[in-house]
Amino acid sequence: MMKRYLNLSGDSGVRAYLPGPDAIAVEFLDGTVYLYTADSAGIDSIATSHRLRKFRWR
């Protein structure tokens, strides 16, 4: 189940997310879901998103 993105700034187009081992699925406000993987976004970006979700995402 996807987790709601908190959108603390109020200007994000993200509604929800679902982290995976080497990827993160992101649901946008229009309902589109995109899977960001180590191949598509880079392993560093995936690692950063996993680290940030501990502080900003629930």
Side-chain angles (χ1 to χ4, degrees), residues 18-58:
L18 180 63
D22 292 321
I24 188 164
V26 177
E27 180 183 358
F28 295 94
L29 295 177
D30 67 1
T32 302
V33 176
Y34 187 83
L35 182 64
Y36 292 93
T37 66
D39 289 335
S40 69
I43 193 67
D44 291 337
S45 295
I46 300 301
T48 298
S49 69
H50 283 280
R51 189 177 71 251
L52 291 175
R53 76 182 167 90
K54 293 178 183 176
F55 300 106
R56 291 194 263 173
W57 300 8
R58 294 187 186 210

Side-chain angles (χ1 to χ4, degrees), residues 2-5 14-18 25-28:
M2 292 192 123
K3 298 178 182 184
R4 185 175 66 90
Y5 181 67
V14 174
R15 176 182 291 149
Y17 71 98
L18 180 63
V26 177
E27 180 183 358
F28 295 94

